[in-house]
Amino acid sequence: MAIIEPKQFTFSNGGCFIVREALPEDAEKVLTYTKEILADSPHLITTPEELTQTEDQQEAWLTNIVEDANKLALVAELDEVIIGFLDFHNGNRIRNRHQGSFGMSVKREYRNNGVGKALLETMLEWASENETIEKVSLEVFSDNFGAIALYKKAGFEMEGIKRKAVKTEDGYHNLFLMAKFL
């Protein structure tokens, strides 16, 4: 079980928000956030119509994460409203449990304002203190320049490219594979 104490962060333009562990009782808020972000972000693989998860399923998913010492879900909140989300999952086999990957999103109106950085720093701090996790990986759209810059600044390096990995109404998109060894 990961234990992340809530932390207060300051937006780049002033004001404060909280980053904390997502809990099973957050299921409704996480589901609402996910629906909003899927409808508003061109850099996510899942489409809004593919989200069929119920609140009970979301609660069970969050419970599974909370109960596993090598998994983590974080929310960034402003006035108890989720403005960012990150989830990390490690490998489920003996030979790959030392590494894992994460996904992260931030509401449009809070992007480029320190929320993603706060989520990322909190996750990396947790991973560094975790006895099992040695490598953190991610996939990012090759045209998501802000996210790529954030990851590079945090010490992530390119590991490869998945060419034409995503197909949207706009055409094909490459995914960059990036990783950081702890």
Side-chain angles (χ1 to χ4, degrees):
M1 173 183 283
I3 298 176
I4 303 289
E5 294 296 322
K7 294 182 184 180
Q8 184 169 306
F9 291 89
T10 303
F11 288 114
S12 300
N13 63 1
C16 295
F17 64 97
I18 300 291
V19 171
R20 65 172 179 81
E21 188 174 2
L23 302 171
E25 52 266 28
D26 295 316
E28 181 182 3
K29 289 183 356 179
V30 170
L31 202 52
T32 298
Y33 169 82
T34 304
K35 288 176 184 176
E36 291 173 8
I37 201 75
L38 288 178
D40 187 45
S41 179
H43 293 118
L44 298 175
I45 292 176
T46 305
T47 62
E49 57 271 15
E50 291 175 302
L51 181 65
T52 59
Q53 197 170 38
T54 66
E55 188 177 327
D56 288 341
Q57 290 170 324
Q58 182 74 51
E59 184 175 345
W61 182 75
L62 288 169
T63 298
N64 178 280
I65 292 173
V66 166
E67 292 175 351
D68 190 320
N70 299 315
K71 293 178 179 28
L72 179 68
L74 297 171
V75 293
E77 285 185 320
L78 176 63
D79 300 327
E80 297 185 19
V81 174
I82 297 175
I83 60 171
F85 186 81
L86 180 148
D87 65 306
F88 174 90
H89 299 269
N90 71 317
N92 57 6
R93 304 275 186 233
I94 291 171
R95 293 182 175 179
N96 72 351
R97 67 180 170 204
H98 70 284
Q99 61 85 35
S101 60
F102 73 96
M104 178 172 66
S105 60
V106 176
K107 279 190 174 182
R108 178 180 305 277
E109 58 268 32
Y110 299 101
R111 292 179 193 152
N112 302 310
N113 207 353
V115 177
K117 180 181 178 186
L119 287 164
L120 185 60
E121 285 177 359
T122 303
M123 183 269 299
L124 288 173
E125 181 180 314
W126 164 83
S128 293
E129 294 171 1
N130 183 299
E131 294 178 5
T132 302
I133 307 304
E134 299 172 20
K135 179 182 179 183
V136 176
S137 303
L138 63 99
E139 294 182 353
V140 59
F141 276 66
S142 60
D143 63 346
N144 191 347
F145 306 115
I148 293 166
L150 173 66
Y151 300 140
K152 284 183 177 180
K153 194 171 186 178
F156 285 81
E157 297 178 356
M158 286 287 294
E159 286 200 319
I161 301 172
K162 290 171 94 173
R163 299 188 190 287
K164 294 186 176 182
V166 179
K167 184 178 179 181
T168 68
E169 57 280 349
D170 299 328
Y172 292 101
H173 302 270
N174 296 334
L175 291 176
F176 286 166
L177 308 175
M178 300 180 77
K180 176 177 179 147
F181 289 91
L182 306 174

